Amino acid sequence: MHDLLVNQTGRSLQSEFGLSATDYTVLAELSRDPDSPLRMMELARVLGWEKSRVSHHLSRMARRGVIARNECLDDGRGAYVTITPAGRAAIEAAAPHHVEDVRRLFLDHLTPGQTALLAEISDTVIEHISRL
């Protein structure tokens, strides 16, 4: 189910906004606090990605101008990642459409009870995984 939803919403993001599902995920995370850049390793941790995956994906996004990577002055091995004005415009344009897709493809088909149960199950699984 997860893969089907991600694939369908990803196709829509790509065709209408030129963003892959992973682009959207990165931009959404970076837009949470645009005044506070994230260390690349912190972004990798939050997304649950390997360092190499983050590095390669961010390189592609930087070439397109939607994110910027800046050296960490106090640690030459690290880098900060920020969303650019083009990235902010992209996520602001895509977000309402993405939310509508998620509602149309997923939430609209659940009863209030099913939604509450899904939230309870999700919280339990997330809590367990967070302790690992």
Side-chain angles (χ1 to χ4, degrees):
M1 178 186 73
H2 173 265
D3 291 346
L4 287 171
L5 284 168
V6 169
N7 289 337
Q8 184 62 42
T9 59
R11 279 193 292 275
S12 181
L13 286 168
Q14 185 69 52
S15 68
E16 296 194 35
F17 302 98
L19 295 173
S20 68
T22 50
D23 291 342
Y24 185 89
T25 300
V26 169
L27 292 175
E29 195 58 45
L30 292 175
S31 67
R32 289 183 195 280
D33 187 357
D35 297 326
S36 207
L38 279 178
R39 293 279 303 250
M40 196 167 90
M41 290 308 298
E42 176 64 14
L43 182 61
R45 185 193 65 74
V46 168
L47 297 174
W49 294 359
E50 296 294 325
K51 180 182 172 184
S52 62
R53 179 181 182 193
V54 171
S55 180
H56 290 298
H57 197 79
L58 292 180
S59 292
R60 290 189 296 274
M61 291 180 77
R63 282 193 296 273
R64 292 184 5 244
V66 294
I67 62 104
R69 289 163 78 167
N70 302 301
E71 287 185 33
C72 179
L73 298 177
D74 58 327
D75 178 3
R77 298 171 295 160
Y80 286 106
V81 183
T82 57
I83 190 168
T84 64
R88 167 120 356 250
I91 193 78
E92 286 176 355
H97 180 81
H98 181 67
V99 168
E100 179 55 35
D101 274 352
V102 171
R103 285 178 199 224
R104 180 178 52 82
L105 296 168
F106 182 61
L107 294 174
D108 288 350
H109 305 284
L110 301 178
T111 66
Q114 288 171 320
T115 303
L117 183 57
L118 179 61
E120 181 181 337
I121 292 167
S122 298
D123 288 346
T124 301
V125 172
I126 291 167
E127 181 180 328
H128 171 73
I129 291 172
S130 296
R131 290 189 302 239
L132 299 178

